[in-house]
Amino acid sequence: MAKKNNAPAKPKLPPEEALYQAVSLCRKAGALTMGFDAVEEACVKSKAWLVMTASDISPKTLQRLNYAVGDLVDVFTMPLTQDKLADISHKPVAVYAVTDRNLAKLCFDRLSDCGAIKNEEDMSE
């Protein structure tokens, strides 16, 4: 007779918390590049799969980032502030790049769940 799994179901995390955990996983796996110059270098060397920014990034920095790497890698704004992300980076950082393909897909999915990524269908309205 087969055993039944009596383990309680895990509570579903809020989308922002799931994104935070995905970014933390990237950091622990050594696949997270932090800081404007380091992210720019990773993009130019084709090591970055995804670039994310904190929600409170300055408009000028975001403009510089899009100019520098916008043609190379997709740049998305996370619904997380630099203060929240400081627990991961150990200091306030506004620009992050994921250098692992599978972890970039995980972060992309979490960004989609948060509503940070607009689909083409949403933009046509």
Side-chain angles (χ1 to χ4, degrees):
M1 180 176 355
K3 289 185 177 182
K4 290 186 177 181
N5 186 1
N6 293 331
K10 287 186 175 181
K12 187 164 171 122
L13 292 174
E16 288 82 13
E17 185 61 29
L19 175 61
Y20 177 84
Q21 288 186 355
V23 174
S24 179
L25 180 64
C26 293
R27 168 69 187 233
K28 290 176 186 173
L32 189 68
T33 303
M34 298 172 286
F36 187 94
D37 293 334
V39 167
E40 183 180 19
E41 182 179 340
C43 292
V44 169
K45 291 183 176 180
S46 299
K47 293 182 179 180
W49 287 90
L50 176 69
V51 173
M52 302 177 292
T53 64
S55 61
D56 55 349
I57 188 172
S58 76
K60 185 175 181 181
T61 303
L62 183 59
Q63 181 182 9
R64 281 182 50 221
L65 182 67
N66 282 322
Y67 180 76
V69 302
D71 293 338
L72 304 171
V73 182
D74 291 328
V75 179
F76 298 106
T77 302
M78 296 183 281
L80 302 171
T81 64
Q82 292 180 48
D83 288 337
K84 172 77 173 165
L85 292 165
D87 293 338
I88 296 171
S89 59
H90 304 296
K91 59 183 177 181
V93 178
V95 183
Y96 298 85
V98 181
T99 57
D100 179 80
R101 182 179 184 180
N102 293 322
L103 290 173
K105 170 82 169 89
L106 174 69
C107 290
F108 183 87
D109 292 343
R110 297 297 183 260
L111 283 165
S112 296
D113 293 345
C114 291
I117 298 174
K118 304 286 185 198
N119 296 330
E120 280 102 29
E121 302 91 42
D122 297 341
M123 295 172 69
S124 63
E125 295 176 1

